[in-house]
Each structure stands twice: as C-alpha cells, then as structure tokens.
Amino acid sequence: MSFASDVKAELCRSKLSRKCCAQAEACGVLLYCNRFSPGEVKIVTESQPFGHRLSALFHKAFGLSFDEKGDPDSPKQVFSITDPHKLELLWDLCAFDPTGPAHHINFGMLEEPHCRQAFLRGAFLAGGSVTDPLKGYHLELSTTHRSVSREMTTLLLELGYAPKEVTRKANYITYFKQSEAVEDLLTAIGAPVSAMELMNAKAEKLLRNGVNRRVNCEAANVDKTVDAAMEQRQAIQALRAAGVLDELTPKLREAARLREANPELSLSQLAGLCDPPVTKSSLSHRLRKLIDLSKKLEAEG
C-alpha cells in the first residue's frame, strides 16, 4: 500500500458519532468526488476502507443509500446516486447554490471546529493525495469546481494554513509543500499516526543528510591533507637531491624528517610529534618554508 492509502485507511477509522460531522464529511466527499451534478453523484475510489465507510457515512448523514455500489473486492469501486429525490436533497445541502448549477461550500454546516475537520477529512478521502515522505512533502486536494477550490483556500487560511493553488487540466488543486503544514493538516483531520510517520521520515532524512555532509567534509579534508603532504614530500626530496637538506636549521630538518616518516598524518598530529611539541601554525610555517626553498632552487636551476 502507498502512504496515501495508509492515510485514508487511518482516516476511515474515525467514528461517525455526530450527525452534523457526518453531513460535513459527506459534503466534503461530494464536492471533491468524481461527479456531483443535478443528474448524478459518482464516487470512484481505490481505497477499500473508504469504500466500506461510504455507505455508513451517507446513511448517518442523510438517511440515504447509494443506487449502485461497486464490488468491495474490486480494485476500483464505483458508488452512484441517480434518484432525483436523493439528488435534490444532496444538492440543497451540499452544492449550496439556489441560483444556478455552480457549486459552493455550505459554510453554515462548518460553524463548529469538529465539523470543519470532518469536511476536510471528506474532501481528502474523495479528492486528496499525499506523497510518500521518503520522497518529498506534498499534499493536495483536487476538485473540478473552481468556486469550491477558492472557498477551500479561504477556509484553510482562516484555520491558519497557507495553501497554494494551481490548475491542472480540468482540476483545481489546493496544495501544501511544507512538511509542517502537511503534518498539522493530517493530525487535524484524524490521521495523527500518519503525521508521526512523516515526522519520523523527516528526522531520518535530516540525520542522514547530516551524516552525509560530515562524511563528505571529512573526505574533503583527507584529500587536502594528502595533497599537502605530497607537495611537502616532493619539496623535501628536491632539497635532498640538491644537497641542501642537511644545511638547513634543526627545526626545518626535524619538520622534513617527520613529514617523510609520517605522510598520512595531519598537521596537528605531526606537530605533536615535534620535540618539544609545537603548534599546528608553527609546523605549517616550517613546511611552507621547505616548499618555498624548493621552488627557489627550481627557479635558479
């Protein structure tokens, strides 16, 4: 199962306790389902838990049954209502436009916080999707009704969210890409376990990225140490070949001896081997002096 399927399964475990919440959730379903017109309601879903919930939801909300119900064992279930009397009731309650065929959210049904949450749950069950948090953070609600999409954005803004909007073919999309917003919305509509999974996945990703950055940084530092040590050893070998290494000061000869004997050590580690130990800066200065002398010999030669 996908993460979105798991979320819908968790949402469907919410009890249908209040009739007002059942009506709000059912209206969310209708405004975000495949078809809601004066002549037909058609809900298509691949979520078996949602399919099992639909009949109980519409009976609790409106005392109605579907005229046709899909096979519960089928990968894709279709629920439809074509009875004119049933459609008239649903249209009056949920389409909420007495003047024409446009659809609007009936905000009169959403005065209580629990009813608003139920409405958002229904909208997500019918027209929502959410990306696997291991791949990214994206939750969207898709409807074919432009006015509903705009009113949904207004509702979410009033609830403290900051959604974005986009049109995709004939669908109007309200979406979030911030992980915190997705977590908060999933928790609010009744999927706290899924929200926690998202938070855990984000924490894992941050930890893994931090480890990768540290490893890359350490690898880069190792490469720099190796390159610097190679340059220093080449300079020492050039000074020895020119017969001037033994003529250098004791401090420079000690730096040369330690670097040749310990090509893998960092400057800090090498500085600790000096007698007496010196600072990293002091040893770096001595090795730089050896390189400068080598370049001077090469220029004169």
Side-chain angles (χ1 to χ4, degrees):
M1 290 178 66
S2 67
F3 181 69
S5 298
D6 291 340
V7 172
K8 292 187 178 183
E10 184 181 0
L11 292 176
C12 288
R13 291 195 286 271
S14 299
K15 293 183 178 179
L16 298 170
S17 54
R18 295 185 176 97
K19 182 175 181 178
C20 60
C21 290
Q23 288 185 340
E25 181 177 329
C27 284
V29 169
L30 289 168
L31 293 174
Y32 278 81
C33 70
N34 301 77
R35 186 177 304 143
F36 180 30
S37 70
E40 182 184 20
V41 165
K42 184 177 182 181
I43 305 168
V44 181
T45 180
E46 295 180 0
S47 169
Q48 287 194 348
F50 181 38
H52 293 322
R53 184 179 180 83
L54 272 171
S55 294
L57 175 64
F58 273 66
H59 179 75
K60 177 78 174 183
F62 311 117
L64 298 180
S65 60
F66 288 97
D67 297 332
E68 290 187 23
K69 292 190 293 186
D71 182 356
D73 297 323
S74 173
K76 186 176 291 186
Q77 300 179 62
V78 180
F79 297 79
S80 65
I81 295 175
T82 53
D83 182 281
H85 299 294
K86 295 178 182 179
L87 290 170
E88 183 179 359
L89 172 64
L90 296 177
W91 189 263
D92 288 342
L93 284 173
C94 299
F96 200 62
D97 185 4
T99 63
H103 297 65
H104 293 277
I105 296 175
N106 185 349
F107 284 97
M109 299 178 66
L110 310 182
E111 293 181 355
E112 297 296 331
H114 47 79
C115 291
R116 290 193 289 270
Q117 293 168 2
F119 175 78
L120 293 173
R121 179 168 58 247
F124 183 85
L125 286 169
S129 64
V130 60
T131 302
D132 187 326
L134 294 176
K135 299 178 181 178
Y137 310 117
H138 182 91
L139 182 149
E140 67 178 42
L141 300 169
S142 175
T143 178
T144 57
H145 313 299
R146 180 172 180 269
S147 55
V148 170
S149 182
R150 297 185 66 179
E151 290 164 4
M152 173 64 83
T153 297
T154 300
L155 173 62
L156 290 168
L157 287 170
E158 290 176 355
L159 294 175
Y161 299 97
K164 296 183 178 180
E165 296 177 284
V166 69
T167 302
R168 189 184 304 141
K169 296 183 179 179
N171 295 310
Y172 300 93
I173 314 295
T174 306
Y175 70 95
F176 300 91
K177 281 193 173 295
Q178 303 87 1
S179 60
E180 293 82 3
V182 176
E183 293 162 10
D184 291 346
L185 187 60
L186 289 179
T187 301
I189 64 178
V193 175
S194 298
M196 185 62 68
E197 285 184 28
L198 192 152
M199 285 185 269
N200 289 338
K202 182 172 66 173
E204 256 181 59
K205 191 182 298 184
L206 289 172
L207 178 61
R208 187 166 54 249
N209 290 342
V211 170
N212 288 339
R213 281 194 296 271
R214 185 181 302 174
V215 169
N216 291 338
C217 182
E218 290 176 355
N221 288 337
V222 168
D223 289 343
K224 288 169 63 177
T225 298
V226 170
D227 291 342
M230 185 178 297
E231 183 183 17
Q232 293 155 8
R233 293 183 68 201
Q234 288 173 347
I236 294 166
Q237 291 167 3
L239 292 172
R240 179 180 291 108
V244 299
L245 188 60
D246 293 337
E247 300 174 3
L248 301 178
T249 64
K251 292 181 179 179
L252 290 179
R253 291 202 306 273
E254 181 187 42
R257 177 180 60 80
L258 288 173
R259 174 46 81 201
E260 282 200 304
N262 304 279
E264 77 286 354
L265 296 185
S266 67
L267 283 178
S268 298
Q269 293 169 322
L270 210 60
L273 297 179
C274 291
D275 186 20
V278 298
T279 64
K280 175 182 175 181
S281 177
S282 295
L283 183 61
S284 176
H285 176 75
R286 295 174 190 180
L287 292 170
R288 172 51 59 187
K289 183 69 174 177
L290 293 173
I291 293 172
D292 291 343
L293 289 171
S294 171
K295 290 182 177 179
K296 184 178 179 181
L297 282 175
E298 183 181 357
E300 291 174 352

